[in-house]
Amino acid sequence: MNDRILLSPPDTGPAEEEAVLRALRGGWVAPLGPEVDAFEEEIAAYTGRKHAVALSSGTAALHLGLLNFGVGPGDVVVTATMTFAATANAIIYTGAEPVFVDCDETGNIDVDLLDHAISDLQAKGRRVAAIVPVDLLGKVANYEGIVEIAARAGVPVLSDAAESLGAWRNGRPAGSFGDASILSFNGNKVMTTSGGGMLLTDDADIASRTRYLATQARQPVIHYEHLDVGYNYRLSNILAALGRAQLARLDSMIERRRQHRLWYRELTDKIPNSRVFGIPDGSEGGDTRDNFWLTSIILTPPDGSATAGLIAHLAKHGIEARPLWKPMHLQPAFSHAHSYRTGMAESLFQTGVSLPSGSAMTTDHTSRIEAALSAYSKQSRWLDHVQA
Ligand SMILES: *Cc1c(COP(=O)(O)O)cnc(C)c1O
């Protein structure tokens, strides 16, 4: 099938082409330039932050955010087990040890368990150097709870908002929470620079140290003097131009994803033992909302897991589907890490399937998805009643 329907492919067109050409023709090809400055200002304004530093990836932003907090060998960093590996990888880069905390039914970090984990680690004499909450699939985590626990424990918060740009919680935009936060503009995210990321903060010192570390830690002298080990982590001017064109379209792209979510909700209403993951849209009040990055469905057939069968069936029809993130405490790469668990993340991993959700998805795509789900219903007991 050459027209494979992907989970969240890039959505680009004439505006993006024009922006990239503008940057090229303007002569600012060497990494930094005016598009980077403007992109930083626009994202800072969009997320309500004082400072934004454009970087080569969300992973780089996590790494530099942690270094800013002085995280290093011997420390522990507490994060969500329900996340993408980049969150845990960045912790490992600093030499610190990740400690994983389970999620609640929203998929985001379980705040009561986080509280217990931090007191337990501190009682054991461990230095908890940072908390890294993750906004899963575009839903902002419970920062009221997290920030209170962090303040009591004297630990800084680095918010992993890689998936949640454009979402809100209680009147505040994703990316505005914590001492610093990070965004990703990878090709599969809600908007993209093909590859890229950003660190956001209200603290001028964190912003300037991030810029310094991201450009090889150069002292301002002609012969390149280095007091610290630096990184080559800045975003290029050409990619920043692409990001600006995407940002101008972000709200309309989010609206498209919201429409897909509503459509999946109607579809799963017709399928027994299935539901859309997350609470119904709009039920949280006007100033809390998803960015609808990925829509996942939860399958709870009485006879156990049906997710693998459905994913394989959709693959045969050229439709990409995946389980929710495999929890970090189950990953061989992090098998030595300590974790605090309730079983929720494992249960979501077993029952959740993410489905195509991209803003460029067409009605042709949605009817193919509906047909494939309906065909699967004929060979699977739990889908018996699809009336597609
Ligand atoms: C995508 C993602 C990242 C990493 O971002 P990159 O830009 O791909 O490095 C980090 N955390 C989460 C939760 C992500 O989904």
Side-chain angles (χ1 to χ4, degrees):
M1 182 94 33
N2 43 25
D3 186 19
R4 249 187 114 221
I5 307 173
L6 300 175
L7 279 189
S8 181
D11 174 358
T12 58
E16 286 75 10
E17 283 174 31
E18 200 252 304
V20 169
L21 276 176
R22 175 183 73 220
L24 265 173
R25 289 178 179 157
W28 293 91
V29 175
L32 293 168
E35 301 282 353
V36 175
D37 300 339
F39 188 39
E40 290 178 343
E41 276 164 30
E42 288 165 10
I43 291 276
Y46 191 90
T47 55
R49 282 290 201 182
K50 292 203 176 96
H51 308 280
V53 184
L55 298 167
S56 53
S57 69
T59 311
L62 283 166
H63 186 192
L64 295 188
L66 292 169
L67 292 181
N68 263 289
F69 295 156
V71 175
D75 293 338
V76 296
V77 173
V78 178
T79 191
T81 193
M82 186 49 116
T83 186
F84 177 57
T87 320
N89 286 339
I91 296 168
I92 305 273
Y93 300 164
T94 67
E97 237 178 86
V99 168
F100 301 117
V101 173
D102 218 320
C103 57
D104 60 25
E105 65 287 343
T106 67
N108 283 330
I109 201 161
D110 180 324
V111 170
D112 294 330
L113 197 57
L114 173 68
D115 197 10
H116 166 72
I118 305 249
S119 338
D120 188 49
L121 288 162
Q122 290 184 331
K124 287 177 177 145
R126 299 305 307 268
R127 188 177 101 98
V128 181
I131 301 171
V132 186
V134 179
D135 299 343
L136 191 80
L137 306 186
K139 163 154 303 300
V140 182
N142 174 0
Y143 289 98
E144 297 84 37
I146 293 163
V147 164
E148 199 230 290
I149 292 164
R152 211 180 330 116
V155 178
V157 174
L158 176 63
S159 158
D160 183 343
E163 300 173 5
S164 62
L165 179 64
W168 288 71
R169 183 180 173 95
N170 294 329
R172 285 182 57 181
S176 70
F177 298 94
D179 301 274
S181 55
I182 73 97
L183 303 175
S184 166
F185 308 121
N186 194 42
N188 62 347
K189 295 302 201 294
V190 73
M191 64 163 261
T192 186
T193 57
S194 84
M198 214 172 267
L199 183 134
L200 307 173
T201 183
D202 296 323
D203 182 325
D205 293 335
I206 292 180
S208 69
R209 186 153 178 90
T210 301
R211 287 201 166 83
Y212 163 74
L213 289 174
T215 47
Q216 307 284 23
R218 289 191 269 235
Q219 295 300 313
V221 292
I222 193 79
H223 61 266
Y224 290 135
E225 182 82 4
H226 301 276
L227 307 179
D228 297 288
V229 174
Y231 302 86
N232 184 6
Y233 274 177
R234 278 293 246 164
L235 187 74
S236 90
N237 197 59
I238 293 174
L239 299 187
L242 174 54
R244 293 180 68 200
Q246 288 266 285
L247 183 59
R249 295 178 49 230
L250 179 60
D251 290 342
S252 67
M253 293 194 292
I254 288 174
E255 176 55 22
R256 304 258 317 170
R257 288 182 193 257
R258 191 177 76 87
Q259 294 299 332
H260 301 327
R261 174 77 54 94
L262 294 175
W263 170 76
Y264 276 122
R265 216 174 270 291
E266 275 172 30
L267 204 56
T268 51
D269 281 349
K270 295 187 261 177
I271 303 173
N273 306 315
S274 81
R275 63 178 168 84
V276 164
F277 175 53
I279 68 165
D281 324 291
S283 62
E284 294 168 296
D287 54 5
T288 294
R289 59 177 191 266
D290 258 61
N291 71 355
F292 308 100
W293 175 50
L294 286 186
T295 294
S296 308
I297 61 173
I298 302 289
L299 304 176
T300 47
D303 57 345
S305 172
T307 59
L310 177 61
I311 291 170
H313 173 83
L314 293 174
K316 261 190 267 157
H317 290 79
I319 298 163
E320 184 183 26
R322 285 176 191 273
L324 289 183
W325 301 129
K326 179 174 179 177
M328 291 305 112
H329 71 266
L330 297 178
Q331 300 288 357
F334 310 121
S335 58
H336 300 296
H338 190 61
S339 57
Y340 293 85
R341 305 195 304 273
T342 59
M344 182 62 80
E346 288 185 29
S347 142
L348 290 176
F349 174 56
Q350 272 152 21
T351 57
V353 179
S354 296
L355 295 169
S357 311
S359 46
M361 193 154 75
T362 63
T363 48
D364 173 53
H365 291 155
T366 51
S367 30
R368 272 175 56 197
I369 293 167
E370 187 157 347
L373 280 170
S374 148
Y376 190 68
S377 75
K378 300 194 173 90
Q379 60 192 67
S380 159
R381 272 200 297 152
W382 59 270
L383 282 173
D384 271 353
H385 303 102
V386 175
Q387 296 136 19

